[in-house]
Each structure stands twice: as structure tokens, then as C-alpha cells.
mmCIF file of all heavy atoms in Angstrom:
data_model
loop_
_atom_site.group_PDB
_atom_site.id
_atom_site.type_symbol
_atom_site.label_atom_id
_atom_site.label_comp_id
_atom_site.label_asym_id
_atom_site.label_seq_id
_atom_site.Cartn_x
_atom_site.Cartn_y
_atom_site.Cartn_z
ATOM 1 N N HIS A 25 52.354 1.764 34.046
ATOM 2 C CA HIS A 25 52.159 1.212 32.712
ATOM 3 C C HIS A 25 51.942 2.279 31.657
ATOM 4 O O HIS A 25 51.588 1.959 30.520
ATOM 5 C CB HIS A 25 50.959 0.254 32.726
ATOM 6 C CG HIS A 25 51.109 -0.868 33.707
ATOM 7 N ND1 HIS A 25 52.009 -1.902 33.526
ATOM 8 C CD2 HIS A 25 50.497 -1.114 34.895
ATOM 9 C CE1 HIS A 25 51.928 -2.742 34.544
ATOM 10 N NE2 HIS A 25 51.019 -2.276 35.403
ATOM 11 N N ASP A 26 52.134 3.539 32.006
ATOM 12 C CA ASP A 26 51.950 4.595 31.018
ATOM 13 C C ASP A 26 53.012 4.506 29.917
ATOM 14 O O ASP A 26 54.129 4.025 30.134
ATOM 15 C CB ASP A 26 52.029 5.972 31.681
ATOM 16 C CG ASP A 26 50.779 6.283 32.493
ATOM 17 O OD1 ASP A 26 49.726 5.714 32.159
ATOM 18 O OD2 ASP A 26 50.860 7.075 33.444
ATOM 19 N N GLU A 27 52.623 5.015 28.747
ATOM 20 C CA GLU A 27 53.525 4.985 27.600
ATOM 21 C C GLU A 27 54.426 6.221 27.595
ATOM 22 O O GLU A 27 54.001 7.327 27.947
ATOM 23 C CB GLU A 27 52.719 4.929 26.303
ATOM 24 C CG GLU A 27 51.879 3.673 26.172
ATOM 25 C CD GLU A 27 52.736 2.418 26.060
ATOM 26 O OE1 GLU A 27 53.864 2.514 25.536
ATOM 27 O OE2 GLU A 27 52.269 1.338 26.477
ATOM 28 N N VAL A 28 55.667 5.979 27.165
ATOM 29 C CA VAL A 28 56.680 7.033 27.159
ATOM 30 C C VAL A 28 56.978 7.449 25.724
ATOM 31 O O VAL A 28 56.961 6.632 24.803
ATOM 32 C CB VAL A 28 57.964 6.531 27.852
ATOM 33 C CG1 VAL A 28 59.131 7.471 27.611
ATOM 34 C CG2 VAL A 28 57.717 6.340 29.337
ATOM 35 N N LYS A 29 57.267 8.714 25.518
ATOM 36 C CA LYS A 29 57.803 9.229 24.260
ATOM 37 C C LYS A 29 59.083 10.000 24.581
ATOM 38 O O LYS A 29 59.249 10.534 25.683
ATOM 39 C CB LYS A 29 56.794 10.149 23.571
ATOM 40 C CG LYS A 29 55.586 9.408 22.987
ATOM 41 C CD LYS A 29 55.980 8.600 21.761
ATOM 42 C CE LYS A 29 54.766 7.879 21.177
ATOM 43 N NZ LYS A 29 53.797 8.809 20.587
ATOM 44 N N ALA A 30 59.973 10.046 23.577
ATOM 45 C CA ALA A 30 61.246 10.737 23.791
ATOM 46 C C ALA A 30 61.769 11.272 22.468
ATOM 47 O O ALA A 30 61.437 10.763 21.391
ATOM 48 C CB ALA A 30 62.271 9.796 24.419
ATOM 49 N N VAL A 31 62.588 12.311 22.560
ATOM 50 C CA VAL A 31 63.252 12.866 21.380
ATOM 51 C C VAL A 31 64.727 13.068 21.684
ATOM 52 O O VAL A 31 65.131 13.309 22.832
ATOM 53 C CB VAL A 31 62.638 14.216 20.937
ATOM 54 C CG1 VAL A 31 61.212 14.030 20.468
ATOM 55 C CG2 VAL A 31 62.731 15.255 22.050
ATOM 56 N N LEU A 32 65.526 12.941 20.640
ATOM 57 C CA LEU A 32 66.933 13.327 20.683
ATOM 58 C C LEU A 32 67.014 14.762 20.189
ATOM 59 O O LEU A 32 66.595 15.068 19.068
ATOM 60 C CB LEU A 32 67.753 12.400 19.795
ATOM 61 C CG LEU A 32 69.206 12.809 19.501
ATOM 62 C CD1 LEU A 32 70.031 12.866 20.780
ATOM 63 C CD2 LEU A 32 69.836 11.843 18.500
ATOM 64 N N ALA A 33 67.501 15.653 21.029
ATOM 65 C CA ALA A 33 67.603 17.074 20.689
ATOM 66 C C ALA A 33 69.069 17.425 20.440
ATOM 67 O O ALA A 33 69.951 17.008 21.192
ATOM 68 C CB ALA A 33 67.026 17.932 21.802
ATOM 69 N N TYR A 34 69.334 18.203 19.387
ATOM 70 C CA TYR A 34 70.721 18.584 19.084
ATOM 71 C C TYR A 34 70.745 19.963 18.429
ATOM 72 O O TYR A 34 69.759 20.423 17.842
ATOM 73 C CB TYR A 34 71.386 17.550 18.182
ATOM 74 C CG TYR A 34 70.824 17.475 16.784
ATOM 75 C CD1 TYR A 34 71.418 18.174 15.727
ATOM 76 C CD2 TYR A 34 69.696 16.705 16.496
ATOM 77 C CE1 TYR A 34 70.908 18.111 14.441
ATOM 78 C CE2 TYR A 34 69.176 16.629 15.214
ATOM 79 C CZ TYR A 34 69.787 17.339 14.183
ATOM 80 O OH TYR A 34 69.277 17.282 12.915
ATOM 81 N N ARG A 35 71.886 20.591 18.531
ATOM 82 C CA ARG A 35 72.082 21.889 17.887
ATOM 83 C C ARG A 35 73.573 22.160 17.748
ATOM 84 O O ARG A 35 74.400 21.603 18.478
ATOM 85 C CB ARG A 35 71.439 23.005 18.697
ATOM 86 C CG ARG A 35 72.094 23.248 20.049
ATOM 87 C CD ARG A 35 71.407 24.371 20.808
ATOM 88 N NE ARG A 35 71.998 24.576 22.128
ATOM 89 C CZ ARG A 35 71.546 25.447 23.019
ATOM 90 N NH1 ARG A 35 70.481 26.186 22.735
ATOM 91 N NH2 ARG A 35 72.137 25.583 24.195
ATOM 92 N N GLN A 36 73.920 23.015 16.810
ATOM 93 C CA GLN A 36 75.298 23.464 16.682
ATOM 94 C C GLN A 36 75.553 24.513 17.757
ATOM 95 O O GLN A 36 74.677 25.338 18.061
ATOM 96 C CB GLN A 36 75.553 24.045 15.299
ATOM 97 C CG GLN A 36 77.024 24.123 14.925
ATOM 98 C CD GLN A 36 77.237 24.200 13.426
ATOM 99 O OE1 GLN A 36 76.301 24.377 12.668
ATOM 100 N NE2 GLN A 36 78.491 24.075 12.995
ATOM 101 N N VAL A 37 76.721 24.456 18.365
ATOM 102 C CA VAL A 37 77.057 25.403 19.427
ATOM 103 C C VAL A 37 76.938 26.828 18.892
ATOM 104 O O VAL A 37 77.456 27.157 17.824
ATOM 105 C CB VAL A 37 78.477 25.128 19.965
ATOM 106 C CG1 VAL A 37 78.896 26.238 20.938
ATOM 107 C CG2 VAL A 37 78.528 23.769 20.660
ATOM 108 N N GLY A 38 76.236 27.656 19.623
ATOM 109 C CA GLY A 38 75.991 29.028 19.205
ATOM 110 C C GLY A 38 74.597 29.250 18.661
ATOM 111 O O GLY A 38 74.121 30.383 18.584
ATOM 112 N N SER A 39 73.929 28.160 18.289
ATOM 113 C CA SER A 39 72.558 28.273 17.797
ATOM 114 C C SER A 39 71.583 28.224 18.968
ATOM 115 O O SER A 39 71.775 27.472 19.920
ATOM 116 C CB SER A 39 72.254 27.132 16.824
ATOM 117 O OG SER A 39 70.888 27.127 16.466
ATOM 118 N N GLU A 40 70.533 29.023 18.896
ATOM 119 C CA GLU A 40 69.531 29.022 19.956
ATOM 120 C C GLU A 40 68.489 27.924 19.755
ATOM 121 O O GLU A 40 67.851 27.482 20.706
ATOM 122 C CB GLU A 40 68.834 30.392 20.018
ATOM 123 C CG GLU A 40 69.755 31.535 20.434
ATOM 124 C CD GLU A 40 69.010 32.847 20.583
ATOM 125 O OE1 GLU A 40 67.765 32.835 20.387
ATOM 126 O OE2 GLU A 40 69.646 33.872 20.885
ATOM 127 N N GLU A 41 68.321 27.479 18.534
ATOM 128 C CA GLU A 41 67.247 26.540 18.219
ATOM 129 C C GLU A 41 67.737 25.099 18.250
ATOM 130 O O GLU A 41 68.755 24.756 17.643
ATOM 131 C CB GLU A 41 66.675 26.856 16.836
ATOM 132 C CG GLU A 41 65.489 25.982 16.456
ATOM 133 C CD GLU A 41 64.899 26.373 15.121
ATOM 134 O OE1 GLU A 41 65.284 27.432 14.593
ATOM 135 O OE2 GLU A 41 64.049 25.624 14.603
ATOM 136 N N TRP A 42 67.005 24.254 18.966
ATOM 137 C CA TRP A 42 67.291 22.826 19.010
ATOM 138 C C TRP A 42 66.503 22.123 17.909
ATOM 139 O O TRP A 42 65.328 22.413 17.690
ATOM 140 C CB TRP A 42 66.897 22.224 20.361
ATOM 141 C CG TRP A 42 67.762 22.648 21.511
ATOM 142 C CD1 TRP A 42 67.615 23.764 22.281
ATOM 143 C CD2 TRP A 42 68.891 21.947 22.036
ATOM 144 N NE1 TRP A 42 68.584 23.807 23.252
ATOM 145 C CE2 TRP A 42 69.383 22.697 23.125
ATOM 146 C CE3 TRP A 42 69.539 20.755 21.696
ATOM 147 C CZ2 TRP A 42 70.492 22.299 23.876
ATOM 148 C CZ3 TRP A 42 70.644 20.357 22.432
ATOM 149 C CH2 TRP A 42 71.109 21.127 23.508
ATOM 150 N N GLN A 43 67.136 21.187 17.243
ATOM 151 C CA GLN A 43 66.433 20.289 16.327
ATOM 152 C C GLN A 43 66.158 18.978 17.054
ATOM 153 O O GLN A 43 66.901 18.592 17.954
ATOM 154 C CB GLN A 43 67.275 20.030 15.074
ATOM 155 C CG GLN A 43 67.579 21.299 14.287
ATOM 156 C CD GLN A 43 68.323 21.000 13.008
ATOM 157 O OE1 GLN A 43 67.804 20.326 12.120
ATOM 158 N NE2 GLN A 43 69.548 21.500 12.914
ATOM 159 N N GLU A 44 65.094 18.295 16.652
ATOM 160 C CA GLU A 44 64.693 17.084 17.363
ATOM 161 C C GLU A 44 64.472 15.923 16.396
ATOM 162 O O GLU A 44 64.004 16.112 15.279
ATOM 163 C CB GLU A 44 63.409 17.325 18.163
ATOM 164 C CG GLU A 44 63.579 18.305 19.306
ATOM 165 C CD GLU A 44 62.312 18.460 20.129
ATOM 166 O OE1 GLU A 44 61.240 17.988 19.685
ATOM 167 O OE2 GLU A 44 62.380 19.066 21.218
ATOM 168 N N VAL A 45 64.820 14.736 16.872
ATOM 169 C CA VAL A 45 64.562 13.491 16.155
ATOM 170 C C VAL A 45 63.796 12.576 17.101
ATOM 171 O O VAL A 45 64.264 12.315 18.218
ATOM 172 C CB VAL A 45 65.869 12.805 15.716
ATOM 173 C CG1 VAL A 45 65.562 11.511 14.964
ATOM 174 C CG2 VAL A 45 66.718 13.734 14.859
ATOM 175 N N PRO A 46 62.606 12.088 16.706
ATOM 176 C CA PRO A 46 61.882 11.165 17.591
ATOM 177 C C PRO A 46 62.707 9.916 17.865
ATOM 178 O O PRO A 46 63.346 9.367 16.961
ATOM 179 C CB PRO A 46 60.620 10.825 16.783
ATOM 180 C CG PRO A 46 60.473 11.938 15.805
ATOM 181 C CD PRO A 46 61.861 12.382 15.467
ATOM 182 N N MET A 47 62.697 9.461 19.103
ATOM 183 C CA MET A 47 63.427 8.251 19.449
ATOM 184 C C MET A 47 62.534 7.034 19.229
ATOM 185 O O MET A 47 61.320 7.086 19.405
ATOM 186 C CB MET A 47 63.924 8.310 20.889
ATOM 187 C CG MET A 47 64.911 9.447 21.132
ATOM 188 S SD MET A 47 65.918 9.233 22.610
ATOM 189 C CE MET A 47 67.072 7.948 22.096
ATOM 190 N N GLU A 48 63.169 5.952 18.836
ATOM 191 C CA GLU A 48 62.475 4.707 18.510
ATOM 192 C C GLU A 48 62.709 3.686 19.615
ATOM 193 O O GLU A 48 63.855 3.476 20.045
ATOM 194 C CB GLU A 48 62.995 4.175 17.174
ATOM 195 C CG GLU A 48 62.450 2.820 16.786
ATOM 196 C CD GLU A 48 63.152 2.257 15.573
ATOM 197 O OE1 GLU A 48 64.066 2.933 15.041
ATOM 198 O OE2 GLU A 48 62.810 1.130 15.162
ATOM 199 N N PHE A 49 61.627 3.042 20.059
ATOM 200 C CA PHE A 49 61.742 1.994 21.067
ATOM 201 C C PHE A 49 62.342 0.742 20.439
ATOM 202 O O PHE A 49 61.919 0.299 19.376
ATOM 203 C CB PHE A 49 60.362 1.680 21.654
ATOM 204 C CG PHE A 49 60.366 0.544 22.636
ATOM 205 C CD1 PHE A 49 60.860 0.714 23.920
ATOM 206 C CD2 PHE A 49 59.898 -0.708 22.273
ATOM 207 C CE1 PHE A 49 60.867 -0.324 24.828
ATOM 208 C CE2 PHE A 49 59.887 -1.767 23.168
ATOM 209 C CZ PHE A 49 60.382 -1.578 24.451
ATOM 210 N N ILE A 50 63.374 0.183 21.109
ATOM 211 C CA ILE A 50 64.007 -1.035 20.606
ATOM 212 C C ILE A 50 63.446 -2.235 21.352
ATOM 213 O O ILE A 50 62.718 -3.050 20.805
ATOM 214 C CB ILE A 50 65.542 -0.969 20.771
ATOM 215 C CG1 ILE A 50 66.108 0.294 20.111
ATOM 216 C CG2 ILE A 50 66.189 -2.217 20.183
ATOM 217 C CD1 ILE A 50 67.573 0.528 20.389
ATOM 218 N N SER A 51 63.782 -2.348 22.619
ATOM 219 C CA SER A 51 63.257 -3.410 23.484
ATOM 220 C C SER A 51 63.784 -3.174 24.890
ATOM 221 O O SER A 51 64.817 -2.519 25.075
ATOM 222 C CB SER A 51 63.686 -4.808 22.998
ATOM 223 O OG SER A 51 65.092 -4.956 23.097
ATOM 224 N N ASN A 52 63.077 -3.706 25.868
ATOM 225 C CA ASN A 52 63.560 -3.680 27.251
ATOM 226 C C ASN A 52 63.959 -2.280 27.697
ATOM 227 O O ASN A 52 65.029 -2.070 28.274
ATOM 228 C CB ASN A 52 64.733 -4.649 27.420
ATOM 229 C CG ASN A 52 64.997 -4.983 28.873
ATOM 230 O OD1 ASN A 52 64.099 -4.908 29.706
ATOM 231 N ND2 ASN A 52 66.225 -5.349 29.177
ATOM 232 N N ASP A 53 63.089 -1.306 27.407
ATOM 233 C CA ASP A 53 63.288 0.098 27.794
ATOM 234 C C ASP A 53 64.456 0.777 27.087
ATOM 235 O O ASP A 53 64.875 1.869 27.484
ATOM 236 C CB ASP A 53 63.456 0.233 29.322
ATOM 237 C CG ASP A 53 62.200 -0.147 30.072
ATOM 238 O OD1 ASP A 53 61.105 0.183 29.599
ATOM 239 O OD2 ASP A 53 62.308 -0.797 31.144
ATOM 240 N N ARG A 54 64.989 0.140 26.047
ATOM 241 C CA ARG A 54 66.088 0.743 25.283
ATOM 242 C C ARG A 54 65.516 1.482 24.084
ATOM 243 O O ARG A 54 64.678 0.952 23.340
ATOM 244 C CB ARG A 54 67.057 -0.341 24.827
ATOM 245 C CG ARG A 54 68.406 0.205 24.357
ATOM 246 C CD ARG A 54 69.213 0.694 25.517
ATOM 247 N NE ARG A 54 70.560 1.125 25.125
ATOM 248 C CZ ARG A 54 71.272 1.991 25.814
ATOM 249 N NH1 ARG A 54 70.769 2.511 26.919
ATOM 250 N NH2 ARG A 54 72.484 2.329 25.442
ATOM 251 N N TRP A 55 65.978 2.727 23.889
ATOM 252 C CA TRP A 55 65.518 3.582 22.804
ATOM 253 C C TRP A 55 66.716 4.060 21.992
ATOM 254 O O TRP A 55 67.853 4.096 22.486
ATOM 255 C CB TRP A 55 64.777 4.801 23.363
ATOM 256 C CG TRP A 55 63.484 4.484 24.073
ATOM 257 C CD1 TRP A 55 63.334 3.808 25.250
ATOM 258 C CD2 TRP A 55 62.170 4.838 23.645
ATOM 259 N NE1 TRP A 55 62.005 3.722 25.585
ATOM 260 C CE2 TRP A 55 61.259 4.347 24.626
ATOM 261 C CE3 TRP A 55 61.660 5.522 22.547
ATOM 262 C CZ2 TRP A 55 59.881 4.534 24.525
ATOM 263 C CZ3 TRP A 55 60.293 5.710 22.447
ATOM 264 C CH2 TRP A 55 59.417 5.219 23.418
ATOM 265 N N GLN A 56 66.447 4.479 20.755
ATOM 266 C CA GLN A 56 67.524 5.005 19.920
ATOM 267 C C GLN A 56 66.997 6.040 18.941
ATOM 268 O O GLN A 56 65.812 6.062 18.605
ATOM 269 C CB GLN A 56 68.220 3.892 19.143
ATOM 270 C CG GLN A 56 67.371 3.268 18.049
ATOM 271 C CD GLN A 56 68.129 2.229 17.244
ATOM 272 O OE1 GLN A 56 69.114 1.660 17.715
ATOM 273 N NE2 GLN A 56 67.661 1.949 16.032
ATOM 274 N N ALA A 57 67.906 6.891 18.489
ATOM 275 C CA ALA A 57 67.625 7.862 17.427
ATOM 276 C C ALA A 57 68.952 8.255 16.810
ATOM 277 O O ALA A 57 70.019 8.116 17.427
ATOM 278 C CB ALA A 57 66.898 9.092 17.973
ATOM 279 N N ALA A 58 68.887 8.748 15.583
ATOM 280 C CA ALA A 58 70.118 9.113 14.882
ATOM 281 C C ALA A 58 69.872 10.343 14.023
ATOM 282 O O ALA A 58 68.748 10.628 13.616
ATOM 283 C CB ALA A 58 70.605 7.953 14.023
ATOM 284 N N PHE A 59 70.951 11.061 13.755
ATOM 285 C CA PHE A 59 70.894 12.155 12.797
ATOM 286 C C PHE A 59 72.226 12.229 12.067
ATOM 287 O O PHE A 59 73.263 11.789 12.562
ATOM 288 C CB PHE A 59 70.544 13.492 13.464
ATOM 289 C CG PHE A 59 71.525 13.958 14.512
ATOM 290 C CD1 PHE A 59 72.521 14.864 14.195
ATOM 291 C CD2 PHE A 59 71.435 13.495 15.819
ATOM 292 C CE1 PHE A 59 73.414 15.311 15.161
ATOM 293 C CE2 PHE A 59 72.319 13.930 16.794
ATOM 294 C CZ PHE A 59 73.318 14.842 16.460
ATOM 295 N N THR A 60 72.193 12.765 10.857
ATOM 296 C CA THR A 60 73.381 12.860 10.013
ATOM 297 C C THR A 60 73.928 14.276 10.049
ATOM 298 O O THR A 60 73.161 15.247 9.982
ATOM 299 C CB THR A 60 73.049 12.453 8.563
ATOM 300 O OG1 THR A 60 72.562 11.102 8.567
ATOM 301 C CG2 THR A 60 74.285 12.523 7.683
ATOM 302 N N LEU A 61 75.253 14.387 10.141
ATOM 303 C CA LEU A 61 75.901 15.691 10.261
ATOM 304 C C LEU A 61 76.267 16.217 8.883
ATOM 305 O O LEU A 61 76.902 15.520 8.088
ATOM 306 C CB LEU A 61 77.171 15.574 11.107
ATOM 307 C CG LEU A 61 77.013 15.313 12.622
ATOM 308 C CD1 LEU A 61 75.983 16.225 13.242
ATOM 309 C CD2 LEU A 61 76.681 13.878 12.901
ATOM 310 N N ASP A 62 75.876 17.448 8.586
ATOM 311 C CA ASP A 62 76.166 18.013 7.269
ATOM 312 C C ASP A 62 77.056 19.249 7.328
ATOM 313 O O ASP A 62 77.367 19.834 6.284
ATOM 314 C CB ASP A 62 74.870 18.348 6.522
ATOM 315 C CG ASP A 62 73.969 19.308 7.299
ATOM 316 O OD1 ASP A 62 74.408 19.821 8.342
ATOM 317 O OD2 ASP A 62 72.828 19.532 6.858
ATOM 318 N N THR A 63 77.478 19.626 8.528
ATOM 319 C CA THR A 63 78.281 20.842 8.674
ATOM 320 C C THR A 63 79.367 20.624 9.722
ATOM 321 O O THR A 63 79.110 20.030 10.773
ATOM 322 C CB THR A 63 77.405 22.038 9.112
ATOM 323 O OG1 THR A 63 76.306 22.170 8.210
ATOM 324 C CG2 THR A 63 78.207 23.334 9.116
ATOM 325 N N MET A 64 80.574 21.109 9.433
ATOM 326 C CA MET A 64 81.642 21.046 10.426
ATOM 327 C C MET A 64 81.308 21.932 11.616
ATOM 328 O O MET A 64 80.593 22.923 11.489
ATOM 329 C CB MET A 64 82.972 21.534 9.824
ATOM 330 C CG MET A 64 83.649 20.567 8.893
ATOM 331 S SD MET A 64 85.361 21.087 8.558
ATOM 332 C CE MET A 64 85.122 22.710 7.840
ATOM 333 N N GLY A 65 81.847 21.579 12.752
ATOM 334 C CA GLY A 65 81.680 22.430 13.917
ATOM 335 C C GLY A 65 81.444 21.627 15.180
ATOM 336 O O GLY A 65 81.554 20.396 15.202
ATOM 337 N N ARG A 66 81.103 22.336 16.227
ATOM 338 C CA ARG A 66 80.864 21.732 17.532
ATOM 339 C C ARG A 66 79.365 21.717 17.810
ATOM 340 O O ARG A 66 78.682 22.725 17.606
ATOM 341 C CB ARG A 66 81.626 22.488 18.615
ATOM 342 C CG ARG A 66 83.132 22.418 18.339
ATOM 343 C CD ARG A 66 84.006 23.042 19.394
ATOM 344 N NE ARG A 66 85.406 22.838 19.025
ATOM 345 C CZ ARG A 66 86.314 22.259 19.792
ATOM 346 N NH1 ARG A 66 85.970 21.852 20.991
ATOM 347 N NH2 ARG A 66 87.556 22.097 19.384
ATOM 348 N N TYR A 67 78.893 20.587 18.273
ATOM 349 C CA TYR A 67 77.474 20.377 18.508
ATOM 350 C C TYR A 67 77.224 19.987 19.960
ATOM 351 O O TYR A 67 78.135 19.557 20.683
ATOM 352 C CB TYR A 67 76.933 19.260 17.608
ATOM 353 C CG TYR A 67 76.821 19.620 16.144
ATOM 354 C CD1 TYR A 67 77.957 19.709 15.336
ATOM 355 C CD2 TYR A 67 75.583 19.861 15.559
ATOM 356 C CE1 TYR A 67 77.855 20.028 13.994
ATOM 357 C CE2 TYR A 67 75.467 20.173 14.208
ATOM 358 C CZ TYR A 67 76.612 20.258 13.433
ATOM 359 O OH TYR A 67 76.503 20.575 12.101
#
């Protein structure tokens, strides 16, 4: 019954640093998160 937390981690290929977005609980163990892309390239 412990509570879970999660993040969506992303980065542009070649970058060492990951950015994170907290994930939101929807229902029935389903979670979601989103981020907007502002630069061309591979992620």
C-alpha cells in the first residue's frame, strides 16, 4: 500500500543532463506527464 512517485526524464541526444517532469496519477495505476519541444533534433 505504499505510495509511488514517478518522473518523465528526457534530454536531447548529446546532452549529459536529463530534465524531469513529475508524472501525474490518472487512475488504476495509470500515470502521465508531458513536455513541449522547443528545439529541433533527436531526443
